[in-house]
């Protein structure tokens, strides 16, 4: 039990455009670094329980986007991640159906519950990405969708009478599926990630990793990491947002060794060694999805869901959203068709 | 209890075929909060000597060295003290703001205004941060007051007018928990009557005090019971007395020992339970979602923003801001024009004045010139006159010299006489 010194809070700067601010009464705030001897138990650590109870009551929102060419197993992977049919697999396009001219954005929401925790999960699918002959700028509809969600949130936030809980449709995590060519990243991959890593948390995954041997996998991963670095693409977890040394060491390990995760997805169960496991059955054996020696699905799952889910949301809210907001409030030249103002820069919102 | 919104917001509910692992979410959230630390701000209002400092010391088991207050403060001030308390892995930044001199003045009209101003100032600071373009609201040190402990004097009669006025002006800005201070001066029966009277008075005056939340099954029962015990009758003490073989916080009287933490003696334990162990999170949340939002709404409307314009179409803050900006610039331009015209006017006036002065000086100059001329003429004349005299004198001199050279035989005496005669004609 100990106490420590406290720093002074800085007063918020007032903009010239706000008419006469209320006079702040003179309150002598001496920060006291007191040798407070705490004798006996007070009970302030119960606030943890109070907070936990509150969050269980309100539930969580999570919005995950999957991007990649068709046939890379996106839907299967998401279904495997959340152990339920959250994403409907597209059965490809037959002759009668037209291939979509542009990338579509399909968001489907479900409510899932586990251990008393309720989660509203929204899976945002992007059929048509990378499937056309000419894929120039096919990331634009995606970027537009992401920014539209930020815009929606911003509009709610600046309302005078605003909702108690602003509905959060912002994309918290974007899984980008890399084709397991074994060579290197494709130009489309680089273009997409370059543009979008600035607005959303991107987690690159190597899809259908059961087509590579262990050596091929390691080499490919190294090459991909190098290419991402050379192109200045900061995928999640971004280095600059590591909060402390503990975070940094943990995240460094993930960034430099595990990512991008080489995954295999499946929703079929097979009997292996007396246990029922999710896997893919091939003539040469059963690939166990959750077996770390077979693929890195379990690492991805633990990373996204069990350890960093809250952090994904917080980085989206505290950094990506704030960046969008600051830019939006600053330039007004913004995205069509949301704004039509043309004004010079100004210091603050009000 | 449904999660986000009413029964699943119309979304399908899916069942999981295996363990996914997002049940760790509350833990993830809690861990992040622990890293950030918690903030709790208490405002303690009570007359001088009502036991505020002792109560805080007893609640947080600390002995902040406060000097005893005097009764002679000219006006009400607020004194804030910040502490960092640690318990297991929880870091709490606690701020306790107490009134100084409350209820001491002869004229108490301005007693509660400093308190209202202080609370508003904290809301304002938060609002300003929230409205900034580049803001860091997630690591903002929250100074908004989360709870107000209002200490009522144990008169046994009723609320004082000052109490009513102060609580009325604060009930929409802060969570008020009324307490009866120094409750060991009232007997048990008197206390029950007093409490009933106080609650009736509060209700009849429309003062909204904080109700412990009863919507969560886990705490609703205890909270309901506690709501019935308000206002809590508290006794504080930092001194310990030995009872049996334990050292307890107590006040020793000749007729007995009042134990602070004995529920039969006072409601101190109930207060601590409710304030810290059960409802701290709710107090913080109510402050943010109710009181702060109300302040923000009023303030934004005051500043001229609204959500719906005269045609009943939703107005974005951006548009409202643009309109304001235009108005402001027009105003600026108007003022600039006004100033410019004033300036031109001033210049004209000054010019006229200067012109007039110039003319005067010119006239003076000419007058002087004239005088100068006249003087010159006069001097000229005098000079001429003088010259004529000189000429005459020279002539006479010449004549005299001529006469001198002629008659050489003249007796010196006669010459002298001649000279004298000539000389005298000159004198």
């Amino acid at each position: 039990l100990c106490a420590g010194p406290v720093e002074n809070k800085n007063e918020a700067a007032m903009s010239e455009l706000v008419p006469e601010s209320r006079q702040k009464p003179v309150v002598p705030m001496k920060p006291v670094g007191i040798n407070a001897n705490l004798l006996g138990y007070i009970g302030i650590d119960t606030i943890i329980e109070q907070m936990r109870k509150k969050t269980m009551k309100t539930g969580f929102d999570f919005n995950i986007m999957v991007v990649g060419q068709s046939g890379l197993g996106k839907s299967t992977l998401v279904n495997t991640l959340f152990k339920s049919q959250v994403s409907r697999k597209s059965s490809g396009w037959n002759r009668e159906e037209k291939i979509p001219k542009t990338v579509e954005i399909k968001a489907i929401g479900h409510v899932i519950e586990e251990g008393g925790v309720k989660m509203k999960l929204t899976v945002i699918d992007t059929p048509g990405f990378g499937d056309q002959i000419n894929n120039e700028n096919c990331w634009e509809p995606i970027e537009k969708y992401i920014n539209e969600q930020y815009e929606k949130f911003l509009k709610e936030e600046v309302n005078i009478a605003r909702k108690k809980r602003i509905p959060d449709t912002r994309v918290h995590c974007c899984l980008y599926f890399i084709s397991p060519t074994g060579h290197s990243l494709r130009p489309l991959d680089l273009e997409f990630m370059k543009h979008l890593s600035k607005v959303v948390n991107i987690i690159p995954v190597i899809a259908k990793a059961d087509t590579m041997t262990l050596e091929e996998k390691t080499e490919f991963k190294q090459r991909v990491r190098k290419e991402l670095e050379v192109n200045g693409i900061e995928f999640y977890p971004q280095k600059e947002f590591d909060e402390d040394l503990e975070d940094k060491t943990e995240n460094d390990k993930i960034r430099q060794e595990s990512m991008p995760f080489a995954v295999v997805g499946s929703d079929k169960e097979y009997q292996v060694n007396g246990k029922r496991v999710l896997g893919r059955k091939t003539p040469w054996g059963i690939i166990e999805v959750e077996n770390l020696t077979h693929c890195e699905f379990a690492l991805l799952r633990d990373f996204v869901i069990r350890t960093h889910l809250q952090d994904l949301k917080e980085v989206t809210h505290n950094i990506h959203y704030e960046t969008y907001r600051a830019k939006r409030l600053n330039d007004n030249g913004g995205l069509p068709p949301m704004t039509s103002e043309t004004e010079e820069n100004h210091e603050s919102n009000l | 209890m449904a999660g986000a919104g009413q029964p699943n917001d119309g979304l399908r509910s899916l069942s999981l075929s295996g363990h996914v692992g997002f049940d760790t979410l509350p833990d993830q959230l809690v861990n992040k909060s622990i890293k950030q630390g918690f903030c709790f701000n208490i405002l303690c209002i009570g007359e001088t000597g009502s036991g505020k400092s002792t109560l805080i010391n007893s609640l947080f088991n600390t002995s902040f060295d406060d000097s005893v207050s005097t009764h002679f403060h000219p006006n009400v001030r607020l004194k804030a003290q910040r502490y960092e308390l640690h318990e297991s892995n929880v870091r709490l930044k606690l701020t306790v703001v107490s009134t100084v001199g409350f209820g001491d003045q002869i004229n108490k009209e301005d007693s509660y205004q400093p308190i209202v101003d202080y609370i508003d100032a904290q809301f304002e600071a938060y609002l300003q941060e929230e409205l900034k373009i580049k803001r860091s609201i997630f690591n903002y040190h929250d100074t908004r007051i989360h709870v107000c402990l209002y200490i009522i004097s144990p008169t046994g009669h009723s609320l004082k007018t000052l109490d009513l006025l102060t609580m009325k002006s604060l009930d929409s800005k802060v969570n008020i928990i009324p307490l009866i201070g120094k409750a060991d001066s009232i007997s048990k029966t008197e206390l029950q009557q007093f409490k009933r009277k106080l609650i009736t008075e509060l209700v009849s005056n429309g003062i909204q005090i904080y109700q412990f939340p009863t919507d969560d099954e886990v705490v609703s029962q205890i909270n309901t019971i506690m709501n019935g015990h308000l206002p809590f009758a508290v006794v504080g003490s930092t001194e310990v007395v030995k009872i049996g073989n334990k050292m307890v916080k107590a006040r020793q009287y000749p007729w007995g020992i009042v134990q602070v933490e004995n529920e039969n003696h006072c409601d101190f334990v109930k207060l601590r339970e409710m304030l810290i162990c059960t409802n701290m999170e709710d107090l913080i949340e109510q402050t943010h979602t109710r009181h702060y939002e109300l302040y923000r709404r009023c303030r934004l409307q005051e500043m001229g923003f609204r959500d719906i314009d005269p045609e009943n179409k939703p107005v974005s803050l951006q548009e409202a801001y643009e309109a304001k900006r235009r108005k402001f610039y027009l105003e600026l331009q108007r003022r600039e024009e006004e100033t410019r015209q004033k300036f031109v006017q001033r210049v004209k006036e000054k010019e006229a004045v200067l012109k007039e002065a110039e003319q005067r000086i010119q006239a003076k100059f000419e007058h002087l010139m004239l005088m100068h001329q006249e003087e010159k003429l006069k001097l000229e004349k005098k000079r001429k006159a003088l010259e004529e005299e000189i000429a005459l004198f020279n002539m006479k001199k010449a004549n005299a010299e001529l006469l001198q050279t002629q008659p050489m035989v003249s007796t010196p005496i006669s010459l002298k006489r001649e000279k004298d005669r000539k000389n005298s004609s000159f004198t």
Side-chain angles (χ1 to χ4, degrees):
Chain A
L1 301 169
C2 52
V6 178
E7 68 284 8
N8 265 322
K9 182 183 85 62
N10 291 327
E11 311 282 19
M14 293 288 290
S15 143
E16 330 78 56
L17 290 178
V18 175
E20 2 21 81
S21 71
R22 300 257 176 95
Q23 277 297 325
K24 288 201 169 81
V26 176
V27 175
M29 296 279 266
K30 334 174 275 205
V32 187
I34 248 205
N35 288 330
N37 317 312
L38 286 181
L39 317 149
Y41 175 73
I42 305 174
I44 52 183
D45 55 357
T46 56
I47 196 166
I48 297 182
E49 267 315 301
Q50 296 176 38
M51 183 173 252
R52 195 193 299 265
K53 262 194 292 204
K54 186 181 82 163
T55 56
M56 303 266 292
K57 211 171 70 158
T58 50
F60 297 85
D61 286 349
F62 189 60
N63 309 318
I64 184 168
M65 179 186 262
V66 284
V67 182
Q69 289 171 279
S70 50
L72 282 179
K74 303 190 292 289
S75 302
T76 316
L77 184 71
V78 173
N79 290 346
T80 321
L81 266 177
F82 292 100
K83 297 256 167 62
S84 57
Q85 292 284 323
V86 283
S87 181
R88 256 179 309 131
K89 287 184 264 199
S90 61
S91 46
W93 295 290
N94 49 25
R95 289 257 174 129
E96 284 78 43
E97 284 172 17
K98 277 193 169 161
I99 296 177
K101 283 265 167 64
T102 61
V103 179
E104 283 172 37
I105 313 272
K106 287 195 183 144
I108 306 172
H110 292 102
V111 173
I112 45 181
E113 187 181 332
E114 190 176 59
V117 177
K118 258 204 163 107
M119 175 147 87
K120 178 166 157 267
L121 174 72
T122 308
V123 178
I124 302 141
D125 202 357
T126 54
F129 178 82
D131 288 336
Q132 277 89 42
I133 299 278
N134 183 357
N135 288 310
E136 257 174 28
N137 302 334
C138 66
W139 58 83
E140 277 178 1
I142 299 176
E143 192 174 354
K144 180 157 166 275
Y145 176 83
I146 293 174
N147 284 328
E148 273 169 7
Q149 308 317 305
Y150 290 146
E151 181 69 24
K152 241 194 252 177
F153 195 88
L154 178 64
K155 275 208 157 71
E156 267 304 316
E157 199 191 20
V158 297
N159 263 342
I160 292 185
R162 47 189 192 185
K163 299 198 182 111
K164 200 163 180 177
R165 231 183 125 216
I166 304 177
D168 192 357
T169 53
R170 300 170 296 185
V171 178
H172 300 129
C173 168
C174 174
L175 292 181
Y176 186 78
F177 286 71
I178 299 169
S179 202
T181 59
H183 291 216
S184 61
L185 287 173
R186 293 197 173 127
L188 179 62
D189 302 334
L190 287 171
E191 279 303 298
F192 177 86
M193 285 197 271
K194 236 194 255 183
H195 280 96
L196 284 243
S197 59
K198 301 194 190 80
V199 295
V200 73
N201 295 323
I202 295 194
I203 298 183
V205 293
I206 300 172
K208 299 202 164 171
D210 50 343
T211 57
M212 291 189 288
T213 65
L214 282 176
E215 297 83 22
E216 286 169 349
K217 216 191 295 187
T218 329
E219 274 173 31
F220 186 44
K221 278 168 68 157
Q222 260 173 357
R223 255 194 304 266
V224 168
R225 273 198 296 268
K226 194 90 209 291
E227 285 197 335
L228 291 174
E229 194 185 322
V230 160
N231 281 280
I233 296 170
E234 281 263 350
F235 52 83
Y236 180 85
Q238 298 92 337
K239 269 188 233 125
E240 45 181 334
F241 308 140
D242 284 338
E243 278 170 8
D244 51 31
L245 196 60
E246 198 188 310
D247 274 353
K248 188 164 151 32
T249 30
E250 189 190 331
N251 288 343
D252 270 344
K253 189 160 180 295
I254 297 174
R255 279 188 291 258
Q256 286 154 15
E257 290 170 21
S258 321
M259 283 181 86
F261 299 109
V263 295
V264 174
S266 169
D267 47 6
K268 293 195 172 56
E269 281 186 341
Y270 296 97
Q271 192 92 353
V272 173
N273 293 340
K275 287 205 308 180
R276 289 205 59 83
V277 292
L278 286 171
R280 286 172 61 73
K281 189 162 184 193
T282 66
W284 44 91
I286 297 181
I287 303 159
E288 296 162 52
V289 165
E290 280 169 310
N291 186 333
L292 279 170
T293 54
H294 289 197
C295 78
E296 293 167 354
F297 169 81
L299 286 181
L300 173 70
R301 179 202 54 209
D302 288 348
F303 179 65
V304 172
I305 300 179
R306 295 185 189 173
T307 54
H308 284 71
L309 204 150
Q310 183 60 28
D311 189 57
L312 279 162
K313 291 177 66 174
E314 287 197 3
V315 171
T316 308
H317 179 66
N318 295 333
I319 296 169
H320 295 301
Y321 169 69
E322 287 294 318
T323 312
Y324 175 82
R325 179 183 173 273
K327 187 165 181 295
R328 180 84 171 78
L329 295 179
N330 240 333
D331 23 73
N332 294 326
L335 310 145
M338 284 171 262
T339 62
S340 51
E341 291 103 359
T342 44
E343 288 286 349
E344 335 79 82
N345 286 347
H346 36 265
E347 279 305 296
S348 122
N349 191 18
L350 286 172
Chain B
M1 256 313 275
Q6 283 324 296
N8 301 343
D9 277 334
L11 293 172
R12 264 175 54 214
S13 191
L14 288 178
S15 54
L16 306 171
S17 61
H19 180 64
V20 177
F22 60 85
D23 52 352
T24 58
L25 262 176
D27 286 319
Q28 291 182 36
L29 196 93
V30 159
N31 284 339
K32 281 211 175 270
S33 300
I34 292 180
K35 258 199 207 169
Q36 260 191 329
F38 299 89
C39 250
F40 197 58
N41 307 315
I42 302 179
L43 171 66
C44 209
I45 304 181
E47 296 185 11
T48 315
S50 55
K52 298 186 293 291
S53 312
T54 318
L55 180 66
I56 297 293
N57 288 348
S58 312
L59 269 175
F60 294 101
N61 287 343
T62 53
S63 47
F64 310 140
D65 46 25
D66 270 328
S67 46
V68 178
S69 256
T70 117
H71 282 274
F72 294 95
H73 291 280
N75 44 25
V76 176
R77 271 175 35 239
L78 290 164
K79 186 173 68 167
Q81 283 168 306
R82 292 194 199 157
Y83 314 96
E84 259 201 46
L85 307 175
H86 287 206
E87 201 167 75
S88 35
N89 54 357
V90 173
R91 275 183 307 122
L92 179 71
K93 294 193 197 97
L94 176 73
T95 305
V96 179
V97 184
S98 310
T99 54
V100 175
F102 190 73
D104 278 337
Q105 294 78 32
I106 295 183
N107 181 355
K108 301 195 241 267
E109 270 176 4
D110 294 325
S111 291
Y112 58 84
Q113 196 57 41
I115 306 174
V116 173
D117 289 342
Y118 180 81
I119 295 178
D120 279 346
Q122 309 317 306
F123 283 147
E124 184 67 27
Y126 190 89
L127 181 66
Q128 287 306 318
E129 182 65 34
E130 198 187 23
L131 292 175
K132 272 198 200 156
I133 291 190
K134 218 167 182 289
R135 60 189 189 180
S136 51
I137 216 158
F138 50 90
N139 51 18
Y140 177 82
H141 176 72
D142 194 358
T143 55
R144 299 173 293 183
I145 299 291
H146 299 124
V147 67
C148 169
L149 299 177
Y150 194 96
I151 301 187
I152 300 167
S153 299
T155 57
H157 292 249
S158 61
L159 283 173
K160 298 190 186 155
T161 319
L162 178 62
D163 294 337
L164 283 169
L165 281 174
T166 310
M167 281 202 267
K168 192 79 188 121
S169 64
L170 294 177
D171 70 349
S172 59
K173 290 183 185 290
V174 73
N175 301 315
I176 300 183
I177 298 183
L179 307 171
I180 302 171
K182 296 198 169 175
D184 51 348
S185 58
I186 319 184
S187 76
K188 248 200 150 91
T189 32
E190 284 172 351
L191 189 63
Q192 289 309 315
Q193 270 182 336
F194 189 35
K195 278 194 186 183
R196 267 200 299 272
K197 185 106 208 290
L198 289 175
I199 292 287
T200 331
E201 272 197 332
L202 287 172
V203 168
S204 63
N205 279 284
I207 295 176
Q208 300 212 329
I209 56 174
Y210 177 74
Q211 292 294 309
F212 302 119
T214 49
D215 47 0
D216 184 299
E217 324 84 42
V218 181
V219 291
S220 85
Q221 205 186 23
I222 181 101
N223 277 348
T224 324
I225 298 176
M226 291 300 179
N227 278 332
H229 281 287
L230 284 172
F232 291 137
V234 290
V235 174
S237 173
T238 45
E239 278 151 17
V240 283
V241 172
K242 189 163 177 144
I243 304 230
N245 52 1
K246 286 210 303 177
M247 297 297 281
V248 295
K249 289 199 281 252
R251 289 174 63 75
Q252 185 151 48
Y253 290 106
W255 49 88
I257 301 175
V258 178
Q259 296 160 41
V260 169
E261 281 165 325
N262 183 332
E263 289 206 52
N264 284 329
H265 291 196
C266 73
D267 298 329
F268 176 83
V269 172
K270 294 195 181 69
L271 173 67
R272 187 172 59 195
E273 263 285 319
M274 289 290 102
L275 182 67
I276 301 172
C277 304
T278 318
N279 299 303
M280 197 191 268
E281 182 60 38
D282 185 68
L283 284 163
I284 298 175
E285 182 165 348
Q286 290 291 324
T287 307
H288 180 67
T289 54
R290 246 189 36 206
H291 301 297
Y292 169 70
E293 284 296 313
L294 181 64
Y295 176 84
R296 178 179 175 274
R297 252 202 314 273
C298 296
R299 188 83 173 98
L300 288 181
Q301 277 167 348
E302 203 181 289
M303 290 203 243
F305 293 92
R306 54 227 183 294
D307 277 335
I308 304 201
D309 68 10
E311 289 107 52
N312 255 6
K313 286 201 297 271
V315 173
S316 76
L317 196 68
Q318 198 63 24
E319 286 167 21
Y321 167 57
E322 282 317 312
K324 259 204 152 222
R325 229 164 80 88
R326 255 175 259 132
K327 220 169 57 175
F328 180 72
Y329 274 137
L330 283 172
E331 176 70 24
L332 217 80
Q333 275 177 350
R334 188 186 66 81
R335 275 210 231 137
E336 204 181 315
E337 191 56 41
E338 216 181 279
T339 320
R340 193 188 328 201
Q341 285 186 350
K342 265 203 208 143
F343 178 69
V344 168
Q345 184 72 14
R346 286 274 235 10
V347 165
K348 276 207 184 111
E349 284 171 14
K350 195 78 184 195
E351 255 180 30
V353 166
L354 285 175
K355 222 179 184 130
E356 197 197 335
E358 196 183 339
Q359 282 173 351
R360 266 189 280 123
I361 290 177
Q362 187 75 5
K364 223 177 177 176
F365 177 67
E366 280 168 8
H367 177 69
L368 280 172
M369 282 293 282
L370 239 102
M371 290 201 20
H372 178 72
Q373 290 284 53
E374 281 174 19
E375 282 293 316
K376 226 169 152 182
L377 281 167
K378 271 200 206 144
L379 283 170
E380 207 47 51
K381 269 200 201 140
K382 266 200 176 152
R383 192 167 74 90
K384 268 213 173 104
L386 210 64
E387 273 182 359
E388 275 175 15
E389 271 191 55
I390 291 175
L392 210 63
F393 172 66
N394 281 337
M395 221 171 54
K396 281 199 176 152
K397 190 167 157 199
N399 282 345
E401 281 173 356
L402 211 64
L403 280 170
Q404 259 189 339
T405 52
Q406 277 178 341
M408 291 244 267
V409 274
S410 320
T411 57
I413 303 165
S414 59
L415 257 169
K416 201 172 178 286
R417 232 187 278 136
E418 273 289 352
K419 266 198 186 156
D420 281 9
R421 198 174 39 88
K422 286 198 175 98
N423 282 342
S424 66
S425 69
F426 287 124
T427 55

